[in-house]
Amino acid sequence: MFKQVLPSIRATIALAVLTGLLFPLLITGIAQAVFPSQANGSLIKSADGRVIGSRLIGQPFSRPEHFHPRPSAAGSGYDPTASGGTNLGPTSAKLIEGLPDDRETKDSDESYSGVKQLAERYRQENGLPAGAPVPVDAVTRSASGLDPHISVANALLQAPRVAMARGLAESDVVALVRRHTEGRDLGLLGEPRVNVLLLNLELDRLRGAPPSSKP
Amino acid sequence: MTVIGWAQIALFSLILLVLTKPLGLYMARVFQGERTWLDPVLGPVERLVYRLFGVDPREDMRWTTYALALLAFSLVSMLFTYAILRLQGLLPLNPMGFSTAKAPSYATPMTPDLAFNTAASFTSNTNWQAYSGENTMSYLSQMVALALHNWVSAAVGMAAAIALIRGFARRSAQGVGNFWYDVTRCILYVLMPICLVYALFLVSQGAIQNFAPYTSVTTLEGAAQTITQGPVASQEVIKMLGINGGGFFNANSSHPFENPTPLTNFVQMLSIFLIPAGLCYTFGRMVRDTRQGWALWAAMYVLFFTGVLTAYHFEAQGNPNVARQGVETSTKQLGDVGGNMEGKEVRFGLANSALFATITTDASCGAVNSMHDSYTPIGGMIPLANIQLGEIIYGGVGSGLYGMLIYAILTVFIAGLMVGRTPEYLGKKIEQKEVKMAMLFILAGAASILIFTALASVMDLPAESALNRVGLSSTYYGPTYNNINNSGPHGLSEILYAYSSGTGNNGSAFAGITVNTPFYNLTIGLAMLIGRFLMMLPALAIAGSLATKKHVPASAGTFPTHGGLFVTLLVGVVIIVGALTFFPALCLGPVAEHFLMHGGRLF
């Protein structure tokens, strides 16, 4: 075995340099030269040059005049430093029925919204009658917790609320949703979807945004 | 299930089939030392690498020398990774200051047990991750300590498979090849050219590649968000192609910076199966009968298709407990964004999530684009069972092929018993030594999974035991079964999955379970080393034993191993061995949960 130890040490160092340093440096060099926007996170800048997000990373939205993303398990919601899903299984009471706040511990709010509460809230926000079917992506948390997309059915159900909050015609908002619907890649792969951040950005650029949405 | 979902699965199968032969042929040329079109560029690099290693690539090693070189290299590189992880606070390329005093508040400390677990994990090609990359690892740790193993552990697995193929191909020979030669040629000629093109493709689609610190942004509604950065694409490609599976980020291939579009997702899935499918052809080519390779390919495809059919079906059915809350889950209404969307991304939907989950566990990859823990019980049992079968459905780089070859040895042995004749496979008599080693291979895996799971399901540690404390925090779990995130049968499934994934060197998880405690870090670390080396060494022993044997010409009594009968028998042996070993445990976990879910029972 000892005859193989020296080559092992030399191989570890040589390959660490080759695969661990030279390869990523080479890729970084080419990527920064050829695809600088993508390589740095597809960041979106506002008119005054501030970075306001990444087109690939979802953001939390709760105001009525914005489309709302899926619920998120990343940190306290859409936190890229803590990406991940709920990891709750199909028979989890927490997943389905949620958790109430534990009144014994006064400092922190331990309540957790299950599918039940999320569905009720969704109906309430969007003026749907009790028991109206809610699209499943609107009440389930994604794998990354950063899912930038919602389903088309989900977006269309939110359109009347957004139109009303902005004083826009519902048909205009629906048309905007249609325009922001990304099709399947190559016409086959993946699912049709709506990028919430890009859609909301476009809405904010339009007139009709009430004063409350200005930070 | 939808037509377009099936169309995507069909396209995947077709492209895999088309790529098998050209890649397999190329790899056969690489490992038989023939000229390839990359020789003018890589030849000088290759010779330089041998000089740096200080080895003679022409030395033909006996299987024992080959195994010692493999073990020595694995041990040294594992210690190297352990050292870098422990010292990352003192080393460069650490813009977020992890493991230093200026680490952000959300950082996880690099404890000795976590560093051991991670080093064992990456050395064994498992890439089980008890940490979240974005809040634990410096860029240097990611690139040098971890990604190094993504390359070399794949090459080591491939080397072991090539040695076994040589065992079948050579006649009355002493050696099975040269370890350093196989590892070097794998990295330079197979992995690196593909990764170069692949990484740039990922970046073009939106995967990130930089060394910048994280970006602070103010969202449209005025909240603060920290967008993570890092050299992701270069690590992502070898994570997939080397069938490692350890993500740069906690969310792995569901993270938009790792897997931004359905197109990258499709290519990622292909890149998991690409090399192991090609190796089937390489095998056939090297033993001078390509039908033998296609027979293995066909058996693998049958098992793969059964898995994806089942997983897709049950995910599309959805969770009746969710539907009962007035939620629309029908795929007739919503297409593939209906069904069970908990822990899945909208851009991938059901078909691409179920397909990815099946592929990543058929192979020993363990990358995930959806959270297996949140799958329906039977949908989630498919990844679990795939791992327990030994990841021989295409399987890991090399490990899939040598695993399937061991099942093939078992199959001809059982067929031989039925007709009362000494079994042969590819003109080599299968005798006592080969069958003993094949059984050691199967028993080592089963014992590690079941014994560790049993232990963790019942072990009563005191409430403040340091053995079950999370990192350096004040969270003590006490008994080891407290670490689960779900109660009822699903809790057992989480523990069973953890040790299956560790032993199987897969690395995916029912990730709700909290595993960054000394107990889990040490036991899963051990399971990973058992699953790697106690399964690779028997394969090498068989290689050595077979190489010395003479070739027996086929006669009328030889069981042909390239037709439908053999494929059927092989699939049967895989399923029966797996079922006999794991069916009781699976009944207590996913199967019980399936019926309880339909009865509306919650835990």
Side-chain angles (χ1 to χ4, degrees):
Chain A
M1 183 156 185
F2 293 106
K3 209 177 143 239
Q4 304 297 339
V5 169
L6 194 59
S8 297
I9 295 171
R10 297 169 69 150
T12 301
I13 295 169
L15 290 173
V17 171
L18 176 67
T19 64
L21 289 175
L22 295 180
F23 181 77
L25 287 174
L26 174 69
I27 300 294
T28 309
I30 304 176
Q32 291 289 341
V34 185
F35 308 109
S37 165
Q38 292 98 314
N40 294 311
S42 308
L43 300 175
I44 307 172
K45 290 196 173 137
S46 61
D48 55 359
R50 278 181 310 118
V51 180
I52 49 175
S54 159
R55 63 171 59 234
L56 294 174
I57 304 286
Q59 290 191 356
F61 287 100
S62 57
R63 295 186 192 154
E65 68 268 21
H66 283 138
F67 282 86
H68 296 175
R70 303 176 67 188
S72 159
S76 53
Y78 289 91
D79 177 359
T81 63
S83 63
T86 61
N87 286 309
L88 293 170
T91 54
S92 161
K94 184 177 171 187
L95 173 75
I96 306 294
E97 293 170 346
L99 289 178
D101 186 18
D102 182 358
R103 299 198 182 280
E104 306 270 300
T105 53
K106 292 198 179 113
D107 297 347
S108 55
D109 179 6
E110 275 123 356
S111 65
Y112 184 87
S113 298
V115 170
K116 184 183 179 144
Q117 291 83 14
L118 291 167
E120 280 163 5
R121 196 180 308 153
Y122 188 88
R123 289 188 196 104
Q124 203 181 7
E125 284 172 356
N126 295 297
L128 303 174
V134 174
V136 65
D137 71 291
V139 295
T140 48
R141 293 166 173 91
S142 65
S144 63
L146 308 173
D147 195 343
H149 298 111
I150 55 177
S151 69
V152 180
N154 183 350
L156 290 175
L157 274 176
Q158 295 188 41
R161 179 201 79 224
V162 173
M164 192 188 286
R166 289 181 177 265
L168 292 169
E170 190 183 320
S171 58
D172 290 347
V173 177
V174 169
L176 205 59
V177 169
R178 294 287 180 205
R179 214 169 62 234
H180 274 269
T181 301
E182 300 167 26
R184 300 171 194 275
D185 289 12
L186 311 177
L188 176 65
L189 303 174
E191 297 304 315
R193 56 206 181 272
V194 178
N195 186 310
V196 179
L197 175 59
L198 297 183
L199 178 59
N200 284 336
L201 257 177
E202 171 120 24
L203 274 170
D204 281 3
R205 280 193 202 115
L206 291 174
R207 278 173 303 157
S212 69
S213 75
K214 303 250 160 52
Chain B
M1 296 195 279
T2 62
V3 173
I4 200 141
W6 280 112
Q8 296 176 63
I9 294 170
L11 180 70
F12 173 84
S13 306
L14 186 70
I15 296 186
L16 184 70
L17 178 67
V18 168
L19 291 177
T20 295
K21 184 175 169 182
L23 184 70
L25 203 57
Y26 173 73
M27 288 194 292
R29 294 186 71 87
V30 167
F31 291 108
Q32 290 177 323
E34 295 165 29
R35 271 193 75 78
T36 70
W37 59 280
L38 285 169
D39 274 29
V41 187
L42 292 175
V45 183
E46 188 187 357
R47 287 188 287 278
L48 172 69
V49 166
Y50 296 136
R51 268 218 306 287
L52 290 174
F53 289 10
V55 296
D56 174 10
R58 285 159 304 177
E59 178 200 349
D60 196 29
M61 296 175 168
R62 284 168 175 272
W63 84 266
T64 44
T65 315
Y66 200 100
L68 282 176
L70 185 152
L71 287 175
F73 182 49
S74 298
L75 181 69
V76 168
S77 55
M78 181 172 157
L79 290 174
F80 172 81
T81 292
Y82 181 85
I84 294 207
L85 292 180
R86 293 284 290 153
L87 297 173
Q88 69 167 359
L90 307 172
L91 295 169
L93 280 176
N94 186 12
M96 300 310 291
F98 294 126
S99 301
T100 67
K102 65 179 183 73
S105 58
Y106 52 78
T108 308
M110 182 54 68
T111 52
D113 53 289
L114 178 60
F116 161 74
N117 181 280
T118 306
S121 170
F122 279 75
T123 306
S124 62
N125 197 254
T126 310
N127 292 27
W128 173 263
Q129 294 170 295
Y131 61 89
S132 302
E134 60 265 51
N135 58 36
T136 315
M137 294 291 172
S138 74
Y139 293 162
L140 187 83
S141 294
Q142 295 265 25
M143 287 157 50
V144 176
L146 304 182
L148 162 71
H149 283 288
N150 287 357
W151 296 85
V152 300
S153 69
V156 165
M158 176 112 78
I162 297 294
L164 182 57
I165 297 176
R166 290 200 190 102
F168 282 109
R170 291 183 175 183
R171 291 159 192 189
S172 311
Q174 291 304 316
V176 294
N178 184 290
F179 174 72
W180 302 110
Y181 177 83
D182 292 342
V183 165
T184 305
R185 304 245 330 158
C186 176
I187 292 176
L188 288 184
Y189 287 83
V190 180
L191 301 177
M192 207 152 262
I194 301 177
C195 281
L196 191 68
V197 181
Y198 185 8
L200 296 175
F201 164 72
L202 283 190
V203 177
S204 77
Q205 291 285 308
I208 57 176
Q209 181 70 27
N210 61 60
F211 292 100
Y214 298 172
T215 309
S216 296
V217 304
T218 306
T219 68
L220 281 195
E221 292 196 352
Q225 192 181 40
T226 302
I227 293 181
T228 48
Q229 301 288 0
V232 174
S234 59
Q235 190 149 333
E236 188 72 9
V237 288
I238 189 61
K239 157 198 152 193
M240 305 308 292
L241 190 70
I243 317 191
N244 296 281
F248 198 94
F249 301 116
N250 184 47
N252 210 295
S253 279
S254 70
H255 196 297
F257 280 165
E258 290 198 17
N259 193 3
T261 63
L263 181 61
T264 58
N265 186 64
F266 191 79
V267 174
Q268 290 204 353
M269 293 191 295
L270 264 180
S271 67
I272 299 178
F273 268 3
L274 185 64
I275 289 182
L279 270 177
C280 290
Y281 191 87
T282 307
F283 164 71
R285 178 87 182 173
M286 286 174 72
V287 300
R288 292 174 287 273
D289 183 358
T290 50
R291 294 173 308 172
Q292 303 288 348
W294 284 115
L296 297 184
W297 197 99
M300 291 171 174
Y301 189 83
V302 169
L303 290 163
F304 156 69
F305 188 77
T306 312
V308 76
L309 174 71
T310 314
Y312 186 21
H313 170 78
F314 281 96
E315 289 312 294
Q317 294 288 305
N319 181 346
N321 295 319
V322 170
R324 214 167 282 137
Q325 306 301 324
V327 174
E328 180 61 80
T329 61
S330 164
T331 53
K332 287 203 180 67
Q333 298 293 328
L334 297 171
D336 272 337
V337 286
N340 177 22
M341 282 300 285
E342 182 68 32
K344 294 190 181 66
E345 302 278 302
V346 167
R347 64 190 181 282
F348 304 141
L350 298 173
N352 285 305
S353 298
L355 183 58
F356 199 114
T358 309
I359 291 169
T360 197
T361 50
D362 277 344
S364 70
C365 185
V368 297
N369 78 349
S370 53
M371 292 300 149
H372 297 179
D373 210 349
S374 296
Y375 270 46
T376 60
I378 305 297
M381 187 180 79
I382 293 302
L384 180 55
N386 280 339
I387 297 172
Q388 292 172 337
L389 291 179
E391 292 157 336
I392 36 73
I393 309 168
Y394 300 101
V397 175
S399 61
L401 183 71
Y402 67 67
M404 196 49 139
L405 283 173
I406 282 178
Y407 273 105
I409 287 174
L410 214 57
T411 303
V412 294
F413 172 66
I414 290 170
L417 285 182
M418 288 194 273
V419 295
R421 198 171 178 283
T422 305
E424 294 156 20
Y425 187 47
L426 306 171
K428 297 283 177 131
K429 275 201 161 63
I430 302 301
E431 291 167 303
Q432 199 186 36
K433 176 155 186 203
E434 288 79 30
V435 176
K436 272 186 181 161
M437 286 296 142
M439 286 318 295
L440 176 61
F441 176 94
I442 286 164
L443 291 175
S448 169
I449 292 173
L450 293 174
I451 292 173
F452 278 127
T453 301
L455 195 67
S457 307
V458 297
M459 196 143 136
D460 263 315
L461 292 171
E464 297 233 322
S465 168
L467 261 184
N468 206 12
R469 172 191 189 187
V470 179
L472 299 172
S473 73
S474 55
T475 310
Y476 293 85
Y477 276 89
T480 53
Y481 44 80
N482 282 355
N483 299 39
I484 53 181
N485 186 41
N486 289 274
S487 306
H490 201 83
L492 176 69
S493 301
E494 285 185 344
I495 298 176
L496 182 62
Y497 200 105
Y499 289 104
S500 300
S501 176
T503 306
N505 293 161
N506 186 275
S508 66
F510 272 15
I513 186 170
T514 305
V515 287
N516 187 15
T517 70
F519 175 83
Y520 279 99
N521 276 335
L522 296 176
T523 51
I524 296 176
L526 206 56
M528 293 189 285
L529 295 176
I530 291 173
R532 175 73 161 180
F533 297 106
L534 268 186
M535 297 173 87
M536 193 180 270
L537 291 182
L540 285 176
I542 292 175
S545 165
L546 289 175
T548 57
K549 293 188 187 201
K550 284 203 282 288
H551 183 80
V552 189
S555 68
T558 305
F559 178 45
T561 52
H562 52 72
L565 184 63
F566 174 74
V567 171
T568 311
L569 201 59
L570 178 58
V571 169
V573 166
V574 169
I575 290 176
I576 290 168
V577 169
L580 285 177
T581 319
F582 296 107
F583 189 63
L586 292 175
C587 279
L588 294 174
V591 176
E593 191 189 12
H594 173 75
F595 291 110
L596 290 166
M597 177 181 81
H598 280 283
R601 179 79 196 276
L602 299 178
F603 295 90

